[in-house]
């Protein structure tokens, strides 16, 4: 997962309090049928009753230090690691970078490191 997009009604880690209301509005646009709002299991893995049944044996969670969603990605890593899921989870954080920096600056050194890490993860 490269810079995963998760949310929730309650802040995690160092997220701002309260959670900005644009998140709720955006989720209603993406999934208008959701009645759980930001705590929908599709958006907030803490509410996913099947988290421990994840259908793979390993997960890589890539974070960016200055990403506004960094805390949610770290929270997902912690949830998965603390669940009964039997796989391996690894977290890698790129210092000094923003959300999806590798798409906006694909030629930078940190983007190359990120891509190489993903390739290594897939091939091992």
């Amino acid at each position: 997962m490269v810079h995963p997009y998760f949310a929730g009604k309650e802040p995690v880690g160092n997220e701002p309090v309260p959670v900005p209301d644009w998140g709720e509005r955006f989720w209603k646009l993406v999934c208008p049928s959701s009645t759980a709002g930001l705590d929908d299991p599709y958006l907030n893995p803490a509410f996913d009753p099947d988290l421990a049944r994840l259908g793979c044996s390993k997960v890589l969670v890539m974070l960016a230090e200055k990403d506004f969603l960094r805390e949610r990605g770290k929270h997902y890593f912690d949830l998965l690691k603390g669940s009964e899921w039997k796989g391996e989870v690894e977290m890698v954080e790129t210092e000094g970078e923003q959300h999806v920096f590798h798409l906006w600056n694909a030629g930078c050194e940190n983007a190359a490191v990120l891509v190489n890490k993903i390739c290594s993860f897939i091939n091992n």
Side-chain angles (χ1 to χ4, degrees):
M1 303 184 83
V2 179
H3 309 154
Y5 189 102
F6 293 122
K9 291 178 184 173
E10 297 298 320
V12 297
N14 293 320
E15 281 185 324
V17 179
V19 175
D21 68 334
W22 61 263
E24 186 81 38
R25 290 194 316 265
F26 182 72
W27 182 242
K28 284 181 183 177
L29 175 69
V30 171
C31 191
S33 64
S34 173
T35 58
L38 294 178
D39 285 337
D40 187 300
Y42 288 133
L43 189 61
N44 187 348
F47 286 85
D48 184 354
D50 295 323
L51 184 64
R53 294 179 42 201
L54 196 59
C56 58
S57 62
K58 62 182 186 173
V59 172
L60 173 64
V61 180
M62 308 280 300
L63 306 177
E65 177 187 24
K66 296 180 180 180
D67 186 348
F68 68 102
L69 295 168
R70 179 197 173 279
E71 294 297 320
R72 287 288 162 174
K74 177 157 181 354
H75 184 62
Y76 176 72
F77 169 81
D78 292 339
L79 284 169
L80 200 53
K81 193 167 181 84
S83 76
E84 294 181 17
W85 178 61
K86 303 297 184 214
E88 296 177 34
V89 60
E90 180 181 351
M91 181 175 66
V92 175
E93 183 171 357
T94 306
E95 294 181 12
E97 297 291 359
Q98 300 282 347
H99 186 71
V100 300
F101 71 89
H102 59 291
L103 300 179
W104 306 113
N105 192 5
C108 75
E109 182 177 339
N110 281 341
V113 170
L114 181 144
V115 170
N116 286 335
K117 178 61 183 171
I118 294 169
C119 292
S120 174
F121 177 81
I122 290 169
N123 290 321
N124 290 322

